[in-house]
Amino acid sequence: MNAVVPLSALLDARQVWRGRAPEVPVGDQPTGWRALDAMLPAGGWPEASLSEILLPVDGVGELRLVLPTLARLTQGQRNVVIVSPPYAPCVAGWRQQGLDMRRVEIVDAGEKDVLWATEQCLRSGSCAAVLAWPHHADDRALRRLQVAAVTGQALAFVFRDRSHLSNASPAALRLELEAPPRPQIWVRKCRGGAVPAQAIPLPRVVH
Amino acid sequence: MLWACITLPSLALDGILRRRPTDDPLVLIDGPVNARTIVSANDAARAAGLHVGQRLSAAQALLSHFEAIPYDRESVARWLRFLAAVAYRYSSEVSLLPHAIVLEVSKSMGLFGPWPRLESMLRADFTDLGFRHRMAAAPTAHAAHVLTTVSDGQAVLSIDTLRNALQRVPIAKSRLPANAIAALPSMGIRTLGQVLALPRDGLRRRFGAELLASLDRLTGDLPSGLELYRPPDTFDLRIELLHEVENQSALIFPVRRMVDDLAAYLAGRDGGVQRFLLRLEHREGRFTDVSVGLLASERDGALLFEFARGRLEHVTLPEPVLALRLIARDLPAFVPAGRDLFDERPANALPIEQLRERLRARLGDGAVYRLGSTQDPRPERAQREATHDEVPIEPHPRPTWLLQRPIPLRGGNPIILAGPERVETGWWDGGEVCRDYYVIETSLGQEAWAFCAPDEQTGWMIHGWFA
């Protein structure tokens, strides 16, 4: 044993197998909620994909979920488009959450034009994130949005009623929000990972 | 100095053909009513045997169906000015000659590249606009003009070779004064080279100083003395349709041409357009206006056309359209959107400004907006469209959804999480409010922003949700 072989040479020759856990593809879009990031396979929102958020009723914490992401994007000089929101965004409240409102475009689209406008924004490639509240969206419409999100490399968020949970969806991520008194988030579908068994409590607004 | 000359031999005909969707025979006619003659004919008409100089009656005997349009002298001057505005993109020294445009290009070559490349750019522009042309370059404007009458594409780049190039130009095409052109061939002088070799004193005695001045301008011994063209500050283009149009879809083709012309004009003056008007003219001076307004100035032809078409599709035509007019007065400077060199966006990304225009064209002018804070403490007036004053961030809690109109709270007594914050103002403008705002948790567990009368804590009205 007088020939000393350096370890690196063995590794370079791929003669030694190193046991290592498969790498989780780490995304670049953290949600801003550490507990949620830890649970999602990409460590955050699935990039350039459609995320569906299912709600029992408007105003139960859906904005709390996405505003940290929007704040990060707008501060990075990226544009965010809100398509036909159910209520007017409160500028003072959004600014308190760190958003740069000069980067937030609000689009008032009629019932028939919501999906069209959302798809145009996603496809344009100039929006980092598009939030939409479609009234009627079937599987085909959502698939179009998913394709548009890939084309334009944008985050798409679609907010829908919880009753759509039983229908299959082409979204890469489906989250369900549970209303108070026990506000929590259920991951119902996530591409590239197992669906977690427990819910995450949705933190309250800190005053 | 290097002058480029673009000669446009059939301006009036090209001006009509470029917005005509068919290739059927067409001639332009001129002259007194009883002796109309053909002054210009398109390819189909020539193939059928019609030719320039033919009597209209003779042509009608040859071909049963063709279109005959009176020759419009005014349109020639109008198209020439329009094309000068297009050429203005390449040089600040542009002048008009009869049926020709000359431009000084020696200074432009630093930007656009050597003459062959500049020539191909100019040719591409004129071909795209649908105008046949001949082109030449020479050290003097008049020499370039003369060279285009002899051949197409000749380039004489230095003053030393200019005399050589002019040697063999026949007198008939030399654009010298008319009396000289008539008299010189009968003296046995047939080319410009022979004229230039003649003693100047003799020429002056016989033809006057005018001929010598023309020759000197040709060789560059005298400055060209041309008046410089200045592009107009407004764009106003009117075309008459060949038929009465009752259907919008038939307007799309001419509108596309007009908008392309507008884009070419804007590129020439390095500007953009913010608002333009499409006027659809009906019979007896009635008209329908279609206004196209943009958020920021634009100059891309395809984009402008898309917006114009979007507006046009919403218009119902009350009666047939005879003519179209495009008027653009609001022509601000065009500032191209800045792009980051290391931009990570997809290469074919549509800029956000153009996205907004596309949405506005379909959803309406007020459908796309941004919100900003105002100084007013009343929640109803604390935000407004597109105001971006540097208002400090509100220290008191504010919700994320704001209700347009407060709604009464139903159910049991709420739990007060924060408050009160008294808002008492507006007594001066009739919108007086006096309220105590609280953050409350409703009996259903939702967090709401609600107010009640001062010091009362009953009769809650919800004004927003902490979503």
Side-chain angles (χ1 to χ4, degrees):
Chain A
M1 288 299 283
N2 45 5
V4 178
V5 181
L7 188 62
S8 61
L10 281 176
L11 288 175
D12 287 347
R14 293 177 186 253
Q15 289 174 325
V16 176
W17 179 80
R18 300 167 93 183
R20 194 190 289 162
E23 263 181 51
V24 178
V26 174
D28 204 18
Q29 298 286 358
T31 62
W33 297 108
R34 211 165 282 168
L36 186 59
D37 283 348
M39 211 178 257
L40 295 175
W45 303 112
E47 274 188 87
S49 288
L50 178 68
S51 302
E52 200 179 342
I53 295 163
L54 300 156
L55 313 165
V57 61
D58 286 322
V60 289
E62 69 273 23
L63 288 180
R64 228 173 299 160
L65 196 59
V66 295
L67 281 182
T69 311
L70 302 190
R72 174 170 57 80
L73 292 171
T74 55
Q75 281 166 9
Q77 309 292 305
R78 307 288 307 274
N79 296 300
V80 169
V81 182
I82 315 287
V83 183
S84 53
Y87 304 104
C90 180
V91 174
W94 286 42
R95 289 182 67 200
Q96 284 174 351
Q97 304 284 330
L99 269 92
D100 180 355
M101 291 305 283
R102 285 169 300 186
R103 293 280 167 182
V104 180
E105 303 277 351
I106 298 151
V107 178
D108 282 342
E111 209 168 295
K112 281 179 286 179
D113 288 325
V114 177
L115 289 167
W116 174 82
T118 312
E119 191 186 333
Q120 291 295 322
C121 297
L122 285 171
R123 205 174 279 282
S124 74
S126 56
C127 309
V130 181
L131 281 66
W133 280 261
H135 303 268
H136 314 287
D138 53 8
D139 180 62
R140 220 172 125 244
L142 292 178
R143 199 171 295 277
R144 281 189 74 105
L145 295 187
Q146 164 69 31
V147 172
V150 175
T151 311
Q153 294 291 304
L155 293 178
F157 296 99
V158 171
F159 298 87
R160 303 173 77 199
D161 192 82
R162 194 164 61 171
S163 61
H164 296 288
L165 182 63
S166 54
N167 305 335
S169 162
L173 175 70
R174 295 186 96 184
L175 298 179
E176 186 192 348
L177 253 65
E178 204 171 308
R182 288 205 317 144
Q184 49 189 359
I185 313 165
W186 290 93
V187 179
R188 295 302 188 190
K189 172 189 175 185
C190 54
R191 195 185 285 165
V195 173
Q198 14 7 20
I200 314 160
L202 186 65
R204 319 210 62 154
V205 182
V206 184
H207 299 299
Chain B
M1 299 281 265
L2 184 68
W3 290 81
C5 177
I6 306 151
T7 297
L8 302 142
S10 51
L11 268 176
L13 185 65
D14 288 344
I16 290 169
L17 289 182
R18 63 197 294 269
R19 59 184 158 87
R20 191 166 177 259
T22 66
D23 282 337
D24 300 336
L26 176 130
V27 294
L28 298 187
I29 48 172
D30 200 15
V33 181
N34 53 0
R36 293 234 186 260
T37 49
I38 295 176
V39 292
S40 198
N42 74 347
D43 292 341
R46 276 206 302 275
L50 311 191
H51 59 83
V52 173
Q54 198 172 32
R55 283 288 182 88
L56 182 60
S57 50
Q60 275 160 345
L62 266 175
L63 189 64
S64 57
H65 286 295
F66 64 88
E67 223 169 329
I69 296 174
Y71 179 75
D72 182 3
R73 267 161 237 291
E74 210 179 283
S75 80
V76 172
R78 205 170 55 228
W79 286 122
L80 197 62
R81 281 197 303 275
F82 165 68
L83 291 173
V86 174
Y88 196 71
R89 175 182 185 180
Y90 295 100
S91 170
S92 59
E93 287 180 58
V94 177
S95 297
L96 302 180
L97 290 170
H99 281 84
I101 296 163
V102 285
L103 55 154
E104 207 286 309
V105 291
S106 62
K107 300 186 198 78
S108 318
M109 290 196 293
L111 178 60
F112 295 104
W115 168 246
R117 188 180 305 167
L118 183 56
E119 181 188 5
S120 63
M121 288 166 88
L122 276 167
R123 278 188 196 275
D125 274 8
F126 278 73
T127 309
D128 284 349
L129 290 170
F131 286 93
R132 279 171 284 171
H133 54 271
R134 291 198 301 269
M135 209 175 280
T140 69
H142 289 91
H145 191 203
V146 166
L147 289 176
T148 59
T149 62
V150 184
S151 63
D152 187 14
Q154 203 173 347
V156 179
L157 300 179
S158 76
I159 196 98
D160 310 322
T161 50
L162 178 62
R163 272 178 186 261
N164 249 336
L166 292 174
Q167 282 289 335
R168 279 189 302 280
V169 175
I171 289 296
K173 295 189 169 180
S174 64
R175 301 199 184 260
L176 292 177
N179 62 341
I181 289 183
L184 282 168
S186 59
M187 301 173 190
I189 290 167
R190 307 201 178 279
T191 65
L192 260 183
Q194 289 171 312
V195 183
L196 289 169
L198 289 174
R200 294 171 64 89
D201 282 349
L203 279 177
R204 182 183 292 119
R205 264 202 306 282
R206 206 177 280 266
F207 295 104
E210 200 191 338
L211 175 64
L212 282 184
S214 300
L215 287 173
D216 286 347
R217 284 196 206 108
L218 211 53
T219 55
D221 293 334
L222 265 185
S224 65
L226 290 171
E227 201 173 311
L228 286 185
Y229 164 82
R230 285 191 54 81
D233 284 335
T234 61
F235 181 87
D236 189 341
L237 179 69
R238 180 174 184 276
I239 57 172
E240 275 181 33
L241 301 170
L242 302 174
H243 309 283
E244 292 195 357
V245 170
E246 298 182 26
N247 188 341
Q248 279 143 331
S249 57
L251 293 176
I252 296 296
F253 183 74
V255 165
R256 159 127 237 177
R257 268 294 187 197
M258 293 175 91
V259 172
D260 281 349
D261 288 356
L262 173 64
Y265 164 80
L266 292 173
R269 80 197 295 278
D270 191 25
V273 64
Q274 182 128 35
R275 180 167 293 281
F276 61 92
L277 192 72
L278 208 55
R279 179 166 287 179
L280 317 174
E281 297 184 10
H282 310 299
R283 260 184 237 123
E284 292 163 19
R286 290 187 294 271
F287 56 81
T288 310
D289 277 346
V290 181
S291 170
V292 183
L294 310 173
L295 292 169
S297 71
E298 281 296 343
R299 73 154 169 243
D300 180 51
L303 264 180
L304 293 175
F305 172 65
E306 190 187 319
F307 304 146
R309 186 161 77 170
R311 304 293 158 107
L312 200 60
E313 276 167 358
H314 292 297
V315 177
T316 45
L317 296 181
E319 47 188 323
V321 180
L322 300 176
L324 286 168
R325 194 165 159 197
L326 199 162
I327 308 163
R329 295 215 172 79
D330 193 0
L331 303 171
F334 174 70
V335 185
R339 288 283 300 270
D340 198 332
L341 180 61
F342 301 105
D343 208 338
E344 292 168 1
R345 291 182 305 168
N348 55 352
L350 184 74
I352 186 83
E353 291 78 17
Q354 295 178 8
L355 172 67
R356 301 178 75 197
E357 298 295 356
R358 178 177 290 175
L359 295 172
R360 266 161 45 100
R362 170 145 165 187
L363 304 176
D365 281 350
V368 185
Y369 54 92
R370 295 172 189 163
L371 288 174
S373 309
T374 65
Q375 302 276 8
D376 203 310
R378 283 168 288 183
E380 289 90 347
R381 305 190 192 197
Q383 60 190 51
R384 206 168 46 193
E385 282 179 29
T387 48
H388 290 293
D389 321 321
E390 290 301 310
V391 180
I393 289 178
E394 176 68 43
H396 299 98
R398 284 287 178 272
T400 45
W401 285 137
L402 189 68
L403 272 57
Q404 292 296 352
R405 200 166 290 157
I407 54 168
L409 171 74
R410 278 180 296 231
N413 278 337
I415 306 163
I416 293 172
L417 299 177
E421 173 200 350
R422 180 156 299 175
V423 176
E424 185 171 10
T425 183
W427 46 267
W428 62 87
D429 64 2
E432 183 174 359
V433 295
C434 182
R435 302 164 179 170
D436 278 352
Y437 274 92
Y438 296 86
V439 180
I440 59 167
E441 188 182 319
T442 66
S443 55
L444 293 171
Q446 290 165 295
E447 285 171 54
W449 196 48
F451 66 84
C452 55
D455 300 325
E456 283 194 11
Q457 303 201 351
T458 52
W460 295 97
M461 298 289 282
I462 297 177
H463 206 162
W465 297 108
F466 288 89

